[in-house]
Amino acid sequence: MLGVENAVDWSTYFLIAGCDVSHSPLMKEIAASRGVTMKGSSLVHLMTLPEPNQLPELMNSHLFRVSVLNVSHVDVVNKAWKYGGDEKGYKNILNLISHFPTCCITDENNQPVSWVLLYDYCAIGMLYTHPEHRGKGYAKALVTTMAKRLHSQNYPVYCFIEEYNQISYNLFTSLGFTEYPSYRAEWYEFI
């Protein structure tokens, strides 16, 4: 598609997410022929959940309430997201919260302290817990809840985890997610 004339507006910034790294040389060549710089931004593991029915039962779930994010939470999520913090991040998160499933755990003021979203390509992502709330099982509860919801609606259950993020990798493998070992993906920015 990148090679098709007028299929892509090369005058504007765009991102290709989760593309197999084997396509990188060809994409770089096409971008250069269009006078555009291509930059790889995140190398990731593709993790899938082959047996969602083996997810663990939630322990201590009586200690917190799983809820959903709403548009009043966009700013909180945007400020915490490492790729957010700006207008582009705000709009992206607003779109995801408005149109796709989310899960969160809120504090006594109904502000989210831990959350997970679903990207527009159906991958679980943006998992985050504020540092003062870590170690309470919130991330495990949210991923489990989201995975069960997706599975019950016959959606694939998968995520991308950045290669250096060992904590997330360990969490997802503890929940039964397995790495698709022959697949390495990267996010590519075209500037």
Side-chain angles (χ1 to χ4, degrees), residues 87-138:
E87 181 73 20
K88 186 172 64 173
Y90 185 92
K91 287 179 180 178
N92 185 24
I93 293 165
L94 176 62
N95 177 58
L96 296 178
I97 288 174
S98 298
H99 300 298
F100 298 94
T102 66
C103 295
C104 71
I105 294 171
T106 57
D107 63 14
E108 61 280 351
N109 298 317
N110 205 32
Q111 289 302 303
V113 298
S114 186
W115 56 81
V116 67
L117 286 76
L118 192 69
Y119 287 108
D120 50 5
Y121 45 88
C122 258
I124 295 172
M126 276 195 227
L127 178 63
Y128 184 81
T129 302
H130 282 290
E132 63 272 19
H133 295 279
R134 292 180 184 163
K136 299 177 182 179
Y138 291 173

Side-chain angles (χ1 to χ4, degrees), residues 110-179:
N110 205 32
Q111 289 302 303
V113 298
S114 186
W115 56 81
V116 67
L117 286 76
L118 192 69
Y119 287 108
D120 50 5
Y121 45 88
C122 258
I124 295 172
M126 276 195 227
L127 178 63
Y128 184 81
T129 302
H130 282 290
E132 63 272 19
H133 295 279
R134 292 180 184 163
K136 299 177 182 179
Y138 291 173
K140 184 177 277 193
L142 294 174
V143 172
T144 298
T145 301
M146 181 68 82
K148 286 181 177 183
R149 179 177 181 187
L150 293 172
H151 179 68
S152 74
Q153 296 174 359
N154 294 317
Y155 286 101
V157 181
Y158 72 102
C159 65
F160 293 101
I161 297 178
E162 291 175 307
E163 285 206 331
Y164 65 85
N165 191 342
Q166 194 62 46
I167 293 171
S168 286
Y169 186 88
N170 292 345
L171 168 68
F172 280 83
T173 55
S174 77
L175 293 172
F177 282 74
T178 57
E179 183 176 354

Side-chain angles (χ1 to χ4, degrees), residues 2 16-30 38 40 42-44 163 180-188 190:
L2 292 178
I16 295 180
C19 185
D20 190 306
V21 295
S22 67
H23 301 299
S24 180
L26 177 61
M27 290 192 319
K28 191 173 276 189
E29 180 182 318
I30 293 169
M38 182 183 97
S42 291
L43 194 58
V44 296
E163 285 206 331
Y180 196 85
S182 64
Y183 185 82
R184 272 292 172 274
E186 189 162 14
W187 270 232
Y188 298 102
F190 293 84

